[in-house]
Amino acid sequence: MNLDELTARLHAIRDHNDWRRFHSPKNLAMAASVEMAELVEIFQWLGEDESRRLEPAQLEHAGQEIGDVVLYLLLLCSELGLNLEQVVRAKLADSERRFIAPEASA
């Protein structure tokens, strides 16, 4: 996945529709949250096992909402001057240190 290419394509859509004025970090964070809520809604009344076996239409819908969340986060990173790949790699490294690093005292 080339994040620079995706960001450029998102910026082209944004600029073509004159949406830049709406793309403040606050608005983008809220939009990502709304899309995440739409993803959560797919699973709202499903049991644990059902949530692992979505019907094809549900799975497609989940993919669309996941895409929306990721694209808004990519736009948010762009507005904040953050590199999404670097942010994710740093967080993953932190989680690896915290959750799979050997115990200091055994």
Side-chain angles (χ1 to χ4, degrees):
M1 179 182 329
N2 183 326
L3 297 181
D4 290 335
E5 176 198 346
L6 295 177
T7 301
R9 290 171 64 186
L10 281 168
H11 286 172
I13 293 167
R14 176 200 66 194
D15 295 345
H16 176 78
N17 291 283
D18 194 27
W19 292 340
R20 177 106 196 229
R21 59 197 162 123
F22 303 116
H23 284 192
S24 67
K26 173 192 74 76
N27 287 351
L28 292 168
M30 290 190 321
S33 177
V34 168
E35 296 300 337
M36 191 65 200
E38 291 177 7
L39 176 60
V40 169
E41 187 177 32
I42 295 167
F43 298 97
Q44 185 172 10
W45 304 114
L46 300 180
E48 295 296 322
D49 290 337
E50 290 173 306
S51 72
R52 288 184 168 87
R53 296 185 319 272
L54 295 179
E55 306 224 353
Q58 291 172 306
L59 189 59
E60 181 180 349
H61 187 192
Q64 291 171 349
E65 299 306 337
I66 290 167
D68 286 340
V69 171
V70 170
L71 293 176
Y72 275 122
L73 293 178
L74 191 55
L75 284 168
L76 179 58
C77 283
S78 176
E79 286 300 310
L80 293 174
L82 296 171
N83 178 293
L84 182 61
E85 184 175 357
Q86 290 175 354
V87 168
V88 170
R89 287 182 182 279
K91 183 60 182 179
L92 183 58
D94 181 58
S95 293
E96 289 169 336
R97 277 190 300 277
R98 292 175 55 212
F99 300 114
I100 60 175
E103 294 290 324
S105 58

